[in-house]
Amino acid sequence: MKAHVYVTLKRTVLDAQGQTVADALRRMEYRGVADVRQGKYFLLTLEDGLEQNAAQTEVERIAREVLTNPVIEEFTFRLES
């Protein structure tokens, strides 16, 4: 099983890098992009035999305690068999 974890800055935190990319896209005349938020992506390969509920609990714990700074970042994830 694999866990895909996406970490981004909270909406209340200025994303300077995302803003820079958004500005560049506008200058380059790309249309239709309202906002850009940059972030981090982690792919965790979980041990065989781990049950879905246990995997979800463990990935949430890892993301909360290790992969993010909860003051300024938030995360989402999905599990894949």
Side-chain angles (χ1 to χ4, degrees):
M1 184 180 312
K2 296 194 183 298
H4 303 265
V5 183
Y6 306 90
V7 178
T8 57
L9 292 171
K10 291 181 177 180
R11 283 277 172 204
T12 56
V13 176
L14 175 65
D15 183 349
Q17 185 174 355
Q19 192 63 43
T20 299
V21 172
D23 292 344
L25 292 173
R26 280 190 281 282
R27 283 193 309 278
M28 296 171 73
E29 299 183 4
Y30 285 97
R31 302 289 180 237
V33 178
D35 188 31
V36 176
R37 303 290 292 181
Q38 65 90 31
K40 300 179 277 190
Y41 167 72
F42 299 91
L43 176 60
L44 306 177
T45 302
L46 306 175
E47 292 181 353
D48 291 338
L50 193 60
E51 294 182 11
Q52 184 84 11
N53 287 342
Q56 182 168 337
T57 300
E58 194 68 0
V59 170
E60 284 181 17
R61 183 173 167 222
I62 291 167
R64 188 177 49 256
E65 295 178 4
V66 180
L67 303 180
T68 63
N69 175 346
V71 174
I72 61 169
E73 294 175 320
E74 58 193 5
F75 69 90
T76 59
F77 71 92
R78 68 180 172 85
L79 296 177
E80 175 183 283
S81 298

